[in-house]
Amino acid sequence: MKYVQLGSSPLEVSNICLGSMTWGVQNNQNDANAQIEYAQSQGINFIDTAEMYAVPPTAETYGKTEAIIGNWLTADSSRRENIVLASKIAGPGFSYIRDGSKISGANVIAAVETSLKRLKTDYIDLYQLHWPNRQSPHFGNHWPNGVNHSAVNVEQQTSEMLDILQGLDTCVKAGKIRYCGLSDDTPWGINQYLKLSAEHNLPRMVSIQNEFSLLHTKDSPYLIENCVLEDIAFLPWSPLATGALTGKYLNGQRPEGSRWTLTQRHGLFRDTVNADAAIAAYVKIAKKHKITPAHLALAWCEQVSGVTSTIIGATTMQQLKDNIAAFKQPLSTDVLEEVNQVLQQYPTPY
């Protein structure tokens, strides 16, 4: 296993991060235990979760994933010291999470307390803001005019960001979180937080996790440049595009129990004619070179310069084994060139 530094923090994390959002809906406690233990046997020391999980998010599943991880942690007191544990505070929009209110300093403090109780631990290594208070160009909003940036009140947003950093600072000083990060944010968001941290001597953001895959490269050149030059760890989520890049949804297929058979908060915005065509092309490349489509997608993600640790998830143990194995077998120059040709043909398939 390869280990890398988590941005400007001293934390050393595996270049594969075990995602957990299926635990509590598609997977139960025993499934999660088995996944964590297998991941650890392969050298993975980085686990990502969120208060909002499991997914799809509902009032009934809110906090379930953290509780599952907490149950695993307390089964053996030595387990906590062997993992880097990341969680996230939900942004605004869910009535059952703090009445749908925005992220604030006070809400950070409250959310950290409840997450710690569910996780049954004294501290969280990396605490992230799941999405910003302002509307951001994510979850299918990447198109021109998808977000009205002119409507953003910069002074208000900056004030909210400062308040959030002060709340994070309170938690850091109390020893409840070690480092802070972002999720589903933009270069502007990164740089505002860095500026405020420097001006007010507050915790510095060390990472960001955004969607990134062969079907979603829209913001990556600008985001990755910002991350590399500012020493921010880039943590891609959904490198298989919610499983679509395995080819299992081609031609309208919906395998029983799969992610796309569940109600999606933002709808199936990845299910487009161009996405289907791009996936079919990637599947063809994988078949030609005698590897799986998942191997192609994950190994490609790992080989993109600037990627720190890729967040993977699985609903079956075989999927997890196959996904981890993909990182051990880099793609050849020939394969990468064929992939680049498809990327140029379908640069924004959804």
Side-chain angles (χ1 to χ4, degrees):
M1 183 61 60
K2 178 183 174 184
Y3 297 91
V4 289
Q5 191 169 332
L6 189 72
S8 59
S9 84
L11 295 177
E12 293 286 327
V13 299
S14 49
N15 68 321
I16 305 172
C17 177
L18 181 62
S20 62
M21 65 183 184
T22 61
W23 305 347
V25 172
Q26 292 172 277
N27 295 107
N28 59 28
Q29 182 75 56
N30 289 336
D31 295 334
N33 293 347
Q35 286 193 24
I36 296 171
E37 286 157 24
Y38 180 77
Q40 283 199 309
S41 76
Q42 300 302 299
I44 294 175
N45 71 342
F46 195 14
I47 300 176
D48 179 70
T49 189
E51 66 169 350
M52 186 188 79
Y53 296 162
V55 296
T58 65
E60 291 70 37
T61 59
Y62 165 54
K64 265 196 169 184
T65 305
E66 287 186 327
I68 285 173
I69 294 171
N71 292 338
W72 177 81
L73 284 172
T74 54
D76 183 338
S77 60
S78 67
R79 288 175 170 173
R80 182 64 186 90
E81 64 189 38
N82 295 319
I83 63 168
V84 175
L85 181 59
S87 193
K88 299 182 281 290
I89 179 175
F94 289 102
S95 61
Y96 53 86
I97 304 179
R98 294 176 294 278
D99 297 321
S101 59
K102 293 180 178 181
I103 301 176
S104 66
N107 280 346
V108 163
I109 294 168
V112 167
E113 289 293 340
T114 54
S115 284
L116 289 173
K117 288 177 183 176
R118 286 189 291 261
L119 291 165
K120 298 181 175 68
T121 184
D122 296 327
Y123 67 97
I124 297 168
D125 295 290
L126 176 65
Y127 197 66
Q128 305 152 108
L129 313 181
H130 210 152
W131 59 90
N133 286 336
R134 70 189 190 283
Q135 188 180 16
S136 65
H138 295 285
F139 308 115
N141 288 324
H142 277 79
W143 305 105
N145 298 322
V147 178
N148 183 5
H149 300 294
S150 300
V152 173
N153 184 321
V154 175
E155 184 178 352
Q156 177 187 339
Q157 290 298 319
T158 302
S159 176
E160 290 177 7
M161 289 174 168
L162 178 58
D163 180 53
I164 290 167
L165 285 172
Q166 289 166 340
L168 290 169
D169 187 52
T170 296
C171 295
V172 170
K173 287 177 176 174
K176 295 177 180 179
I177 61 176
R178 298 177 68 191
Y179 300 98
C180 312
L182 300 170
S183 179
D184 303 308
D185 215 320
T186 66
W188 183 82
I190 291 173
N191 293 323
Q192 285 296 98
Y193 275 111
L194 292 181
K195 178 182 176 182
L196 290 168
S197 296
E199 288 178 353
H200 298 276
N201 193 30
L202 293 168
R204 187 182 196 275
M205 297 298 179
V206 302
S207 65
I208 185 168
Q209 56 169 271
N210 276 28
E211 184 175 3
F212 182 61
S213 72
L214 285 170
L215 297 184
H216 191 290
T217 61
K218 303 177 187 73
D219 60 355
S220 60
Y222 317 103
L223 188 72
I224 291 178
E225 177 193 36
N226 206 154
C227 288
V228 170
L229 300 184
E230 291 289 354
D231 202 10
I232 302 286
F234 178 50
L235 312 173
W237 62 260
S238 204
L240 292 177
T242 64
L245 282 164
T246 66
K248 65 184 177 182
Y249 300 126
L250 281 175
N251 303 313
Q253 297 180 86
R254 296 292 184 269
E256 184 178 353
S258 63
R259 176 87 176 272
W260 283 16
T261 63
L262 304 174
T263 301
Q264 304 295 306
R265 183 185 177 212
H266 298 284
L268 288 176
F269 61 84
R270 298 174 182 86
D271 184 19
T272 69
V273 172
N274 281 346
D276 221 43
I279 293 164
Y282 292 129
V283 169
K284 184 176 180 180
I285 293 172
K287 185 176 181 179
K288 174 183 174 182
H289 293 278
K290 297 181 172 57
I291 59 176
T292 66
H295 180 171
L296 180 82
L298 294 173
W300 174 83
C301 191
E302 158 66 11
Q303 288 172 257
V304 172
S305 177
V307 168
T308 303
S309 182
T310 303
I311 304 170
I312 64 169
T315 53
T316 70
M317 184 57 71
Q318 190 56 53
Q319 287 174 346
L320 182 62
K321 290 178 178 180
D322 292 344
N323 290 350
I324 293 173
F327 290 80
K328 301 174 183 177
Q329 303 172 50
L331 302 179
S332 68
T333 302
D334 288 345
V335 175
L336 289 173
E337 179 53 38
E338 291 178 36
V339 167
N340 284 339
Q341 290 174 13
V342 178
L343 277 171
Q344 289 171 29
Q345 185 176 3
Y346 300 103
T348 54
Y350 67 75

